[in-house]
Amino acid sequence: MFWKFDLNNTSHIDQLLDREGVTLRELMEEEDVLQECKAQNRKLLLFLSKDHCMQELVTLITEEPPADLEEKTRFKFPNIACELLTSDVALINDKLGGDESLLEKLYHFLEQEPPLNPLLASFFSKTIGNLIARKTDQVISFLRKKHNFISLVLNHIDASAMMDLLLRLISCVEPALLRMEVLNWLNEERLIQRLTELMHTGRDEERQSNASQTLCDIIRLSRDQANQLSEVTEPDPLLAVLESQENVAELLKNMFEGERTEASVVNGTQVLLTLLESRRSGLEGLMDLYSQGCERSYTVNSSILRAIEPHIKDFQQLLLNPPTRSAILTTVGVLEQPLGSARLHVARLVASLLQTCDLSICQEICRLNTMDLLLDLFFKYTWNNFLHLQVELCVASILNHSAHADLQNPGLQNHEERPATGTGSQVEEGTPGQNSTSDPANTPIQDLFQHCRLVQRILGAWEENDKIQAEGGRRRGNMGHLTRIANTVVQNLEKGLAHSQISDLIKELPEDCRGRWESFVGETLRETNRRNTVDLVSTHNLHSSSEDDDMESPFPNDLSIQQAFSDYQIQQMTANFVDQFGFNDEEFSEHDENINAAFDRIAEINFNIDADDHSANAAAFEACCKERIQQFDDCEEEEDIWDEKEINYATQIKARSRYSTWMISCEGSPGQKAPLVGSDSSSSGGSDSEEDPGENKTEGSPKTPANQTTAPMR
């Protein structure tokens, strides 16, 4: 019975290899050939490493299979061949990396005319990439001898596999000294400049996209490796070129020269955004902006900003006249003129530029009236949360750094009047001093309140939304971000670095507008914040669909909830944390003078537990314990616990009855009666109900009737 299983360890592949005349195709038909290869099957590895087998494997991944084969099996063998060649087995790596004829056969794949078969290109890239990591010296030496290698790779950049190959050359070469040699070689081949040239508006969109992605990845990889490899003192030559003013200027020239297509704008702007990256993206980056103000984890090279500055006007034109897009059908109706990726990327770029706190850049944005245009778009495209976030970041950046960056520069006075841009459809008409031309020496914060009329826009949009909802309409999709913008204004007015400047600008508002603003801050905004904060502490409201935050799009829009929760999460864990956990009933009715009191104090939650509190319940519990423990305390002499004695169950039942009745009265359930377990009618005795519940009764008490019967054992 113990030997019914066949314990023969000889695999079917071993049996095939023992047969004379076995072919590579026969072995590749076996399902476990890859497992046997990775398991270092010696017979199989020796067979695969034979010259004719290696030649056949390389041929399979570099030459098109016959077109007459069935489609689902056409690339079966090329796929298996690639897996065998990249199985990371030393014998195969040594054979492939050390045989120049095999490397030549691989390299010949690049010499084909584009386009390459994308599947074969991925097999080729994976195989070469594996050799770069495992047989670095041999492969790098071979590739450096090929003077047209970079040209051939860029010629096929429309295949994403070629992009992967370039990134492997940059990131997978060890040690650091050899890696620096490779970077210098790629720099000598002008890799960055040639990728930048591919960003020209006249290029194929697929090439533009892959070139853009490659440049972005090189920037991130180079910066990450510079941070990790602290022992390397020599700067990364590729990153130095990427951040140079000449190269950024060339990129911008290629973006705007000729017809401005959406693809060229988007792809080029993605590279600029990567160069300007200074913090994590998404919600964490948003929280960083509010908590750190103008501090940046990475200092942007000034050469990048100097190259971008002359072209801000070109991005401004894109906001006014974007590439044409056809109407699209959305869940809220037909959008005749979509915002488009080009304008969204311009908004992202403006937000990133403002976050640099660069004096000259902020002045140019102010002069061109860019914020007014972005606010126009904010109120026009009420359902585009991606745009709303970028405009919010722009406003926060201006309010956060305007006080400690001296943006008053006499050089601005040499500029002409600001161009008449923006429709201002959401702005109230007839306010004195608010026209399309304002003082060119204004700081961005003055521009925001005076020319862009931020306060008037907030009030007008809020009142219009209230009117729509009162008529049964849907809440506008930008109201969550508008709430956060309003809160940012109030926060900076109360305790921000620019509070005095904002206060003066608020006082300069027309009297009726100032009154409406004060009423809005003291009532409407306060109530919105209170509601959002209360929703935060309700698990049901957080997980259920809410009219206030889930109406506009798949993304929650009342971001004040997210901000409050973030503030709560990062509070310091101190010794008095327990004393700060909880909500006071009056939490949201205090501090009327501060609109953000509820948000500012959300981390000051108060939940006090006094272990020494002697309440009525504690006294009752103590009395109960004494009653139950007294029977041991009243014993006048020690008794042998093992001594056999008669047990009187009736006495215990009476005590239990008294205890149950007392507990029921304490819990406030007069309609219930304590059950009498295990006693007959004669033993229930009316005397129990007349006894004082607080009086201690023990076994052997003199008050026990002499004729009391005992309960039967059950």
Side-chain angles (χ1 to χ4, degrees), residues 295-485:
E295 297 176 5
R296 304 174 68 83
S297 59
Y298 170 79
T299 303
V300 176
N301 194 320
S302 62
S303 60
I304 300 172
L305 300 176
R306 300 289 71 79
I308 294 176
E309 185 178 346
H311 291 274
I312 294 179
K313 63 180 184 300
D314 295 317
F315 289 105
Q316 172 94 348
Q317 279 301 115
L318 287 170
L319 293 177
L320 290 168
N321 301 302
T324 305
R325 291 177 63 96
S326 57
I328 59 173
L329 178 63
T330 69
T331 55
V332 292
V334 177
L335 194 58
E336 295 293 341
Q337 187 183 11
L339 177 71
S341 296
R343 285 195 285 186
L344 177 60
H345 276 74
V346 172
R348 292 179 61 194
L349 181 64
V350 173
S352 294
L353 290 172
L354 287 172
Q355 289 173 34
T356 65
C357 307
D358 183 82
L359 170 65
S360 184
I361 290 288
C362 292
Q363 289 174 344
E364 183 68 4
I365 291 175
C366 177
R367 186 186 73 83
L368 291 172
N369 196 23
T370 305
M371 276 306 303
D372 194 40
L373 269 177
L374 288 177
L375 285 168
D376 282 345
L377 296 175
F378 179 93
F379 291 108
K380 178 179 179 180
Y381 295 94
T382 57
W383 302 100
N384 195 315
N385 289 166
F386 301 105
L387 171 66
H388 303 159
L389 174 61
Q390 301 308 319
V391 175
E392 180 190 341
L393 290 174
C394 290
V395 173
S397 294
I398 291 174
L399 295 178
N400 284 337
H401 72 64
S402 288
H404 59 271
D406 184 12
L407 299 179
Q408 295 279 9
N409 190 324
L412 263 180
Q413 299 177 5
N414 296 327
H415 290 296
E416 298 177 356
E417 293 182 347
R418 69 174 70 243
T421 58
T423 59
S425 57
Q426 297 292 333
V427 183
E428 297 178 353
E429 299 295 336
T431 305
Q434 308 297 332
N435 50 46
S436 60
T437 305
S438 61
D439 184 1
N442 277 353
T443 64
I445 198 168
Q446 289 175 294
D447 181 74
L448 194 60
F449 281 90
Q450 293 179 346
H451 180 75
C452 298
R453 304 172 71 192
L454 179 64
V455 170
Q456 292 93 323
R457 286 175 184 259
I458 293 173
L459 294 174
W462 208 286
E463 291 165 359
E464 189 171 345
N465 178 76
D466 287 345
K467 180 180 178 181
I468 292 173
Q469 286 193 280
E471 296 172 353
R474 175 179 291 185
R475 183 176 184 266
R476 283 184 166 180
N478 58 359
M479 293 304 294
H481 287 281
L482 192 64
T483 302
R484 286 186 59 87
I485 290 174

Side-chain angles (χ1 to χ4, degrees), residues 627-678:
E627 178 182 358
R628 303 301 295 165
I629 298 174
Q630 188 66 38
Q631 52 182 316
F632 299 102
D633 298 338
D634 290 346
C635 293
E636 297 179 358
E637 56 181 324
E638 294 184 2
E639 296 181 359
D640 185 0
I641 62 174
W642 303 109
D643 188 22
E644 295 183 2
K645 59 176 69 65
E646 181 180 1
I647 301 176
N648 189 330
Y649 289 96
T651 303
Q652 294 183 2
I653 293 169
K654 289 169 66 180
R656 182 181 302 167
S657 174
R658 290 194 302 274
Y659 172 69
S660 301
T661 303
W662 174 77
M663 285 298 292
I664 291 172
S665 66
C666 288
E667 294 173 4
S669 303
Q672 299 181 5
K673 294 183 179 180
L676 297 178
V677 182

